[in-house]
C-alpha cells in the first residue's frame, strides 16, 4: 500500500502543471512510497503530453483520461483510483515547497491523524509572496474536526497581508485519511460549481476525531488570472443551483448519517452558509424577479426554514432573518455585503497611505 496518493485535476494548465508535478517529485521521501494521480479532464491543450513526458522521467505518476466533467468529477475519479493511506488534493497551477512532504507524513503517521493541515503561502502572478496562512498558536495540536473548523477559518497569527487574499475553505494542501473517505463515501458533489470544497469539508469536519495542525510551510497558492470566483459568474444560474444543491446535500448527510447532536448542530452552520451564498448571488444580480425565483428554488428544495441552533454570529443573524422572511434575509445580506465593501475600500486606502 502506498503511503500517499496525490490527486491533481488537469484542464488547460500546460503553463503550470510541470512546475506542480516537479515540486512533488523534489521531496524528502521515497518516490515509490507515494503516487501522483493526474486526471486529464478532457483538456484540449498540451497538458496531457507534458504529463506523459514527466511519467517517463518519474515512475510514480499515473495518468487517467476522461471526458470533461469539471473539477469535482475529476477529483472523485482520483479518490476512486487512489491506493494511498492518505489523500492529498493539489490544484495544477499551485505547487509545494521542496523537501517538506516527508516530514509532514512522519507527523501524520506518528499520531495516526485523520486530517493534517500544514501551512500555506500565497503568491501573486509575479511570484511575490502576498500572504501566509500559518496557525502558530496551534502548532502540533490535535483537535476534533468540529474544534478545528473555526480555527482554520479564523484569523491567522502574525498576519502581515490583506485578509482578502486568503482562502477560508479549501481542500487542497491538506492530507486526509483515505479510510475516512471510504467509510463515509466522501466525494465532491457534482453540480456544485463554486465552493465545492466548503461542502465536502463540512462533512469531513463533522466526522474527524483527530485533526493535526502543523506550522510547516508546505502548500503554495498562485493567484489566478480570470478566476471564476472573482467574476460575474458567481451569480449565474449554474452557480446558484450548485449552492442550493450543496445545502441539500448537507441536510441529507445530517439526517442520513449516524451523527451525534453536536455533529448535527455543527452542520447547521454550513447549511445556512450555502443559503446565504445563494441569496447573495441573487442579490448581486440586482433583479427582484431573479431574487423571487431563487427564493422559490430554495423553498422547493426543502430550505424554506433553516435550523440556526449552533450557528455563530453572522450565520445566526441571517438565518433568523431568513426564517422570518426570505426577503428580510436578503436585505440583511445586502447590508452586510455593502458593509464589507466599505471595509475593503478603507483597508486598501489605509494600505496605500
Amino acid at each position: 500500500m502506498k503511503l500517499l496518493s496525490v490527486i491533481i485535476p488537469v484542464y488547460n494548465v500546460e503553463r503550470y502543471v510541470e512546475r506542480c508535478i516537479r515540486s512533488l517529485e523534489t521531496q524528502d521521501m521515497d518516490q515509490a512510497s507515494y503516487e501522483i494521480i493526474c486526471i486529464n479532464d478532457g483538456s484540449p491543450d498540451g497538458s496531457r503530453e507534458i504529463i506523459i513526458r514527466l511519467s517517463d522521467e518519474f515512475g510514480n505518476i499515473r495518468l487517467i483520461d476522461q471526458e470533461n466533467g469539471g473539477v469535482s468529477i475529476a477529483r472523485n475519479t482520483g479518490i476512486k483510483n487512489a491506493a494511498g493511506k492518505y489523500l492529498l488534493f493539489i490544484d495544477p497551477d499551485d505547487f509545494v515547497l521542496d523537501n517538506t512532504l516527508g516530514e509532514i507524513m512522519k507527523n501524520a503517521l506518528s499520531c495516526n491523524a485523520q486530517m493534517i493541515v500544514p501551512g500555506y503561502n500565497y503568491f501573486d502572478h509575479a511570484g511575490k509572496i502576498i500572504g501566509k496562512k500559518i496557525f502558530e498558536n496551534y502548532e502540533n495540536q490535535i483537535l476534533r474536526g468540529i474544534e478545528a473548523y473555526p480555527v482554520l477559518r479564523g484569523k491567522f497569527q502574525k498576519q502581515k497581508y490583506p485578509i482578502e487574499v486568503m482562502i477560508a475553505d479549501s481542500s487542497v494542501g491538506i492530507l486526509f485519511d483515505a479510510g475516512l473517505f471510504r467509510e463515509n463515501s466522501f466525494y465532491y458533489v457534482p453540480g456544485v460549481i463554486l465552493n465545492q470544497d466548503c461542502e465536502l469539508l463540512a462533512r469531513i469536519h463533522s466526522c474527524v476525531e483527530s485533526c493535526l495542525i502543523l506550522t510547516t510551510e508546505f502548500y503554495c497558492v498562485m493567484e489566478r488570472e480570470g478566476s471564476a470566483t472573482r467574476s460575474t459568474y458567481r451569480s449565474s444560474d449554474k452557480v446558484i443551483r450548485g449552492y442550493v444543491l450543496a445545502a441539500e446535500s448537507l441536510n441529507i448527510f445530517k439526517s442520513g448519517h449516524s451523527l451525534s447532536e453536536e455533529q448535527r448542530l455543527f452542520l447547521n452552520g454550513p447549511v445556512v452558509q450555502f443559503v446565504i451564498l445563494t441569496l447573495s448571488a441573487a442579490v448581486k444580480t440586482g433583479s427582484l424577479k431573479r431574487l423571487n425565483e431563487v427564493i422559490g428554488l430554495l423553498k422547493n428544495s426543502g430550505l424554506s426554514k433553516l435550523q440556526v441552533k449552533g450557528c455563530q454570529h453572522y450565520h445566526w443573524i441571517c438565518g433568523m432573518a431568513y426564517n422570518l422572511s426570505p426577503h428580510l434575509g436578503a436585505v440583511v445580506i445586502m447590508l452586510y455585503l455593502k458593509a464589507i465593501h466599505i471595509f475593503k475600500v478603507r483597508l486598501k486606502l489605509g494600505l496605500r497611505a
Side-chain angles (χ1 to χ4, degrees):
M1 184 182 190
K2 302 283 187 182
L3 290 179
L4 177 68
S5 295
V6 183
I7 297 171
I8 308 176
V10 176
Y11 185 82
N12 274 356
V13 286
E14 62 180 4
R15 291 172 56 191
Y16 313 106
V17 69
E18 181 163 357
R19 176 186 62 190
C20 176
I21 292 174
R22 286 194 179 278
S23 75
L24 289 163
E25 300 290 5
T26 314
Q27 294 301 322
D28 50 348
M29 58 187 296
D30 184 357
Q31 289 177 356
S33 66
Y34 66 104
E35 61 179 355
I36 301 171
I37 306 175
C38 298
I39 300 93
N40 172 33
D41 193 37
S43 184
D45 68 352
S47 297
R48 184 178 188 275
E49 286 69 29
I50 293 171
I51 295 167
I52 290 173
R53 173 168 54 79
L54 290 172
S55 66
D56 290 337
E57 182 177 350
F58 303 104
N60 59 347
I61 298 174
R62 294 170 59 192
L63 174 64
I64 299 175
D65 293 310
Q66 65 179 35
E67 293 184 3
N68 179 249
V71 65
S72 291
I73 293 176
R75 286 174 175 169
N76 287 345
T77 298
I79 294 169
K80 292 171 185 175
N81 286 275
K85 175 177 172 57
Y86 284 96
L87 306 176
L88 171 64
F89 301 102
I90 287 190
D91 283 340
D93 42 356
D94 296 334
F95 62 98
V96 300
L97 296 177
D98 293 351
N99 297 317
T100 51
L101 188 53
E103 186 62 30
I104 291 170
M105 283 299 308
K106 285 179 185 177
N107 280 280
L109 294 168
S110 67
C111 60
N112 201 28
Q114 294 174 300
M115 183 175 174
I116 303 92
V117 183
Y120 293 71
N121 289 329
Y122 292 78
F123 294 86
D124 64 13
H125 304 305
K128 178 183 176 183
I129 189 164
I130 55 175
K132 287 178 180 286
K133 182 179 178 182
I134 301 169
F135 300 93
E136 293 181 345
N137 288 354
Y138 295 88
E139 181 177 7
N140 294 328
Q141 287 194 33
I142 299 177
L143 305 175
R144 292 168 58 220
I146 291 174
E147 297 168 336
Y149 188 77
V151 171
L152 303 184
R153 304 180 90 247
K155 292 182 179 179
F156 320 117
Q157 282 68 48
K158 293 188 177 180
Q159 184 60 50
K160 303 175 184 177
Y161 311 94
I163 197 70
E164 61 263 30
V165 304
M166 304 306 173
I167 301 172
D169 294 304
S170 180
S171 57
V172 297
I174 299 173
L175 275 69
F176 298 99
D177 178 8
L180 182 74
F181 273 62
R182 287 191 296 269
E183 291 162 12
N184 295 280
S185 297
F186 281 153
Y187 294 100
Y188 294 85
V189 177
V192 181
I193 308 301
L194 296 180
N195 295 89
Q196 59 269 85
D197 293 39
C198 177
E199 190 280 334
L200 177 65
L201 284 171
R203 285 183 282 140
I204 291 173
H205 276 276
S206 72
C207 295
V208 162
E209 292 298 325
S210 55
C211 174
L212 173 64
I213 299 177
L214 300 174
T215 56
T216 305
E217 295 184 27
F218 171 63
Y219 195 88
C220 299
V221 180
M222 297 299 296
E223 191 175 54
R224 296 160 174 80
E225 294 179 298
S227 172
T229 57
R230 300 183 183 181
S231 71
T232 54
Y233 183 56
R234 287 177 294 184
S235 297
S236 70
D237 184 65
K238 281 186 176 181
V239 169
I240 287 173
R241 290 184 179 277
Y243 288 152
V244 175
L245 185 61
E248 284 184 294
S249 171
L250 290 173
N251 266 339
I252 292 169
F253 181 79
K254 188 169 62 169
S255 61
H257 272 62
S258 216
L259 301 176
S260 68
E261 180 66 13
E262 184 184 22
Q263 290 169 317
R264 289 194 177 90
L265 290 178
F266 162 76
L267 287 168
N268 286 342
V271 172
V272 172
Q273 179 180 351
F274 274 108
V275 172
I276 291 171
L277 286 170
T278 304
L279 289 176
S280 298
V283 165
K284 288 175 182 177
T285 66
S287 167
L288 181 59
K289 179 183 177 183
R290 183 61 179 139
L291 176 61
N292 288 332
E293 290 172 349
V294 168
I295 289 172
L297 176 63
L298 287 166
K299 289 182 177 180
N300 291 335
S301 302
L303 296 163
S304 56
K305 290 291 181 181
L306 302 175
Q307 300 294 322
V308 297
K309 188 176 180 181
C311 293
Q312 300 294 320
H313 311 303
Y314 171 62
H315 289 168
W316 185 87
I317 293 170
C318 290
M320 289 294 291
Y322 178 87
N323 285 342
L324 290 172
S325 164
H327 289 89
L328 176 60
V331 170
V332 171
I333 291 167
M334 183 172 62
L335 292 173
Y336 174 79
L337 292 173
K338 196 166 189 67
I340 288 295
H341 174 71
I342 292 171
F343 171 77
K344 286 184 177 181
V345 169
R346 288 182 175 178
L347 178 62
K348 287 179 180 178
L349 289 174
L351 288 172
R352 287 172 186 168

